[in-house]
């Protein structure tokens, strides 16, 4: 991604202070003026879940201009890291994680048992997904199968629609190209979220027969992270299929 084009995307809303600082709440609320922009709008949410080293990310994807995609998409991301080892991760990755926590761009949450300390608590991520289903017209929860079945099984039991998005060219090429097209055309509304911007700056891709797929950096060898972009692509994979087919039922992969 040409980051000049990313930065040139319209900032008709801003992700600044995305999460209100109310740690006593089970799910911290969005600022009221920001929530009003998204409430009850049709959307899909993508997830990219880690355990320790990588960020865990959710990204709600909202088509603009009613039910079509011509007006572009809004991306509303949420990021998670375990609190234990946060300072070490900050040094390792060279990123201001502590500052992002204070500014409301990053949530810290980890399992409290000593033997699993330093591991992201998926319970907090599930709460955010359920919150999204209550606040928005949420169509599907879309996940990379890796690390996700623990949470998707619980969500299915609770009656939510979850879909696995296989991480292959056939499933990811079209939404990956769509994301790049949205950036170039200035139709990606990302709110200036700094973690999502960092993820975008780390992107690389591989190609096969004119298909592309974004490549995850080797987490133990690289400080680059693309988890928020991966989550957005997982949601876009389902969103653009549904928007293209309109009211027709889309295939569950």
């Amino acid at each position: 991604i040409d980051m000049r084009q990313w930065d040139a995307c319209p900032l008709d809303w801003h992700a600044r202070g995305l999460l209100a600082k109310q740690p006593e709440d089970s799910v911290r609320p969005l600022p009221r003026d920001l929530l009003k922009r998204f409430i009850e709008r049709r959307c899909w949410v993508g997830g990219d879940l880690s355990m320790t080293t990588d960020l865990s990310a959710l990204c709600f994807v909202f088509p603009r201009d009613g039910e079509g995609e011509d007006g572009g998409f809004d991306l509303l991301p949420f990021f998670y890291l375990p609190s234990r080892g946060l300072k070490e991760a900050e040094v390792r990755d060279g990123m201001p994680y502590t500052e992002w926590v204070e500014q409301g761009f990053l949530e810290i949450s980890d399992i409290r048992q000593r033997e699993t300390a330093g591991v992201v608590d998926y319970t907090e991520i599930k709460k955010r997904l359920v919150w999204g289903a209550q606040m928005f017209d949420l169509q599907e929860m879309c996940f990379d199968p890796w690390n996700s079945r623990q949470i998707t099984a619980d969500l299915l039991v609770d009656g939510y629609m979850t879909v696995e998005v296989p991480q292959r060219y056939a499933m990811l090429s079209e939404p990956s190209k769509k994301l790049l097209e949205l950036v170039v055309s200035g139709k990606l509304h990302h709110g200036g979220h700094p973690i999502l911007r960092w993820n975008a700056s780390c992107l690389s891709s591989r190609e096969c027969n004119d298909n592309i797929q974004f490549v995850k950096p080797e987490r133990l060898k690289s400080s680059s992270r693309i988890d928020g972009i991966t989550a957005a692509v997982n949601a876009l994979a389902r969103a653009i299929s549904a928007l293209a087919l309109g009211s027709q039922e889309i295939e569950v992969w």
Side-chain angles (χ1 to χ4, degrees), residues 83-99:
S83 58
R84 182 172 177 177
L86 187 67
K87 287 290 187 182
E88 292 85 347
E90 194 168 56
V91 173
R92 179 195 67 220
D93 296 342
M95 290 293 117
Y97 290 137
T98 302
E99 181 179 337

Side-chain angles (χ1 to χ4, degrees), residues 127-139:
K127 288 177 181 178
R128 179 61 68 186
L129 289 164
V130 172
W131 169 87
Q134 295 169 345
M135 292 292 177
F136 315 132
D137 182 12
L138 182 58
Q139 304 296 298

Side-chain angles (χ1 to χ4, degrees), residues 41-42 44 62-73 239 243-244:
R41 280 176 57 189
R42 189 183 190 195
W44 286 256
F62 300 80
R64 296 169 70 96
D65 286 355
E67 299 299 300
E69 58 176 300
D70 289 344
F73 290 86
L243 294 170

Side-chain angles (χ1 to χ4, degrees), residues 3 9 18 30 52 64 73 78 102 146 156 161 250:
M3 296 311 295
C9 286
L18 186 62
L30 269 65
T52 54
R64 296 169 70 96
F73 290 86
F78 297 88
E102 293 171 353
W146 185 257
L156 281 168
M161 176 61 77
I250 63 173

Side-chain angles (χ1 to χ4, degrees):
I1 288 178
D2 183 334
M3 296 311 295
R4 293 170 298 181
Q5 293 176 332
W6 179 274
D7 293 335
C9 286
L11 284 178
D12 50 351
W13 61 273
H14 206 292
R16 185 182 297 114
L18 186 62
L19 299 172
K21 294 183 179 179
Q22 297 181 28
E24 70 276 6
D25 293 339
S26 59
V27 173
R28 293 188 291 177
L30 269 65
R32 184 171 298 178
D33 58 340
L34 184 58
L35 183 59
K36 284 173 60 178
R37 172 175 291 274
F38 297 110
I39 196 164
E40 296 185 355
R41 280 176 57 189
R42 189 183 190 195
C43 70
W44 286 256
V45 61
D48 187 48
L49 306 182
S50 71
M51 296 295 287
T52 54
T53 305
D54 286 346
L55 292 158
S56 286
L58 298 175
C59 190
F60 292 85
V61 171
F62 300 80
R64 296 169 70 96
D65 286 355
E67 299 299 300
E69 58 176 300
D70 289 344
F73 290 86
D74 289 297
L75 304 186
L76 183 62
F78 297 88
F79 294 91
Y80 302 83
L81 272 178
S83 58
R84 182 172 177 177
L86 187 67
K87 287 290 187 182
E88 292 85 347
E90 194 168 56
V91 173
R92 179 195 67 220
D93 296 342
M95 290 293 117
Y97 290 137
T98 302
E99 181 179 337
W100 282 339
V101 171
E102 293 171 353
Q103 293 173 342
F105 293 118
L106 175 64
E107 295 190 74
I108 53 172
S109 174
D110 49 356
I111 299 174
R112 298 301 180 186
Q113 292 91 335
R114 180 173 299 178
E115 63 273 14
T116 53
V119 176
V120 172
D121 186 357
Y122 284 178
T123 302
E124 298 302 314
I125 295 175
K126 180 183 175 183
K127 288 177 181 178
R128 179 61 68 186
L129 289 164
V130 172
W131 169 87
Q134 295 169 345
M135 292 292 177
F136 315 132
D137 182 12
L138 182 58
Q139 304 296 298
E140 294 174 331
M141 302 176 182
C142 316
F143 291 93
D144 173 353
W146 185 257
N147 280 340
S148 70
R149 287 176 178 161
Q150 171 188 338
I151 191 170
T152 56
D154 290 342
L155 290 164
L156 281 168
V157 168
D158 293 341
Y160 297 100
M161 176 61 77
T162 68
V163 179
E164 289 187 351
V165 181
Q167 303 297 287
R168 301 193 298 266
Y169 285 112
M171 308 305 175
L172 299 180
S173 183
E174 184 179 7
S176 298
K177 289 180 177 180
K178 184 64 178 180
L179 182 74
L180 298 177
E181 173 196 319
L182 291 166
V183 173
V184 172
S185 63
K187 293 183 177 181
L188 189 73
H189 300 256
H190 49 63
H193 197 294
I195 305 180
L196 193 65
R197 184 188 188 281
W198 168 47
N199 289 177
S201 74
C202 294
L203 275 183
S204 62
S205 65
R206 57 173 174 253
E207 298 187 23
C208 179
N209 298 326
D210 199 37
N211 294 309
I212 71 167
Q213 181 176 339
F214 296 139
V215 180
K216 277 209 163 191
E218 293 188 54
R219 61 186 180 188
L220 298 180
K221 296 182 180 180
S222 173
S223 60
S224 297
R225 301 285 180 264
I226 66 167
D227 309 280
I229 297 294
T230 301
V233 168
N234 288 339
L236 276 172
R238 298 296 289 177
I240 59 180
S241 295
L243 294 170
L245 293 172
S247 60
Q248 300 178 46
E249 183 176 349
I250 63 173
E251 177 186 4
V252 176
W253 297 328

